[in-house]
Amino acid sequence: MVSRLNPYISFDGDARPAMEFYKEVFGGTLALNTFGESGAPGTPEADKIMHGMLETPSGFTLMGADTPPGMDHTPGSNFSVSLSGDDDAELRGYWEKLSAGGTVSVPLEKQMWGDVFGMCTDRFGIPWMVNIGQAQK
């Protein structure tokens, strides 16, 4: 898989209707995964969206999710730039450069969904998410 760069929007509990709206606007294929499907069944957040991805016929990719409990949701600053793919060395290289001189909020390490993931804010105040998936065979 080629690495991709796209916006990632955090929602305050309304990720599902928001992502469905964006699908109506842009068309395409929408995939939604809940917290319950991703390792938190039986919790109040089980039906909330842990990760959503819209891929459009025009080549746009938009990702979004509900803000997890304990994290702040501030409209206007509820976005990150997402880097994702399966090239471990390439993505770790970007992570090292982006996080240098910045602030790491989630260390780049293996997560409950099986990918390596981290979050940081670069030295210019831009929030980044890096997700390294397993190489497709």
Side-chain angles (χ1 to χ4, degrees):
M1 171 194 338
V2 176
S3 296
R4 71 172 65 186
L5 178 130
N6 59 272
Y8 201 111
I9 304 170
S10 296
F11 296 94
D12 192 22
D14 56 358
R16 182 182 303 275
M19 295 299 289
E20 289 170 347
F21 168 73
Y22 298 133
K23 181 179 186 237
E24 289 176 21
V25 172
F26 299 111
T29 304
L30 177 61
L32 298 172
N33 301 98
T34 66
F35 284 98
E37 295 167 336
S38 302
T43 65
E45 296 78 35
D47 291 332
K48 299 291 182 188
I49 302 303
M50 189 191 105
H51 177 70
M53 182 167 71
L54 175 64
E55 295 182 282
T56 75
S58 297
F60 303 152
T61 299
L62 179 63
M63 295 182 187
D66 287 310
T67 303
M71 293 184 71
D72 290 331
H73 179 269
T74 306
S77 62
N78 56 324
F79 77 94
S80 295
V81 181
S82 171
L83 275 170
S84 57
D86 59 16
D87 187 324
D88 189 88
E90 177 186 44
L91 291 164
R92 284 181 188 276
Y94 294 145
W95 170 263
E96 292 302 320
K97 292 173 185 174
L98 288 167
S99 62
T103 304
V104 173
S105 54
V106 176
L108 187 66
E109 58 190 24
K110 191 162 185 159
Q111 301 296 323
M112 67 181 181
W113 61 89
D115 293 351
V116 172
F117 175 83
M119 293 173 62
C120 69
T121 300
D122 71 21
R123 61 188 177 153
F124 298 103
I126 304 301
W128 292 87
M129 304 167 85
V130 175
N131 191 89
I132 307 168
Q134 302 299 312
Q136 303 298 313
K137 296 179 183 182

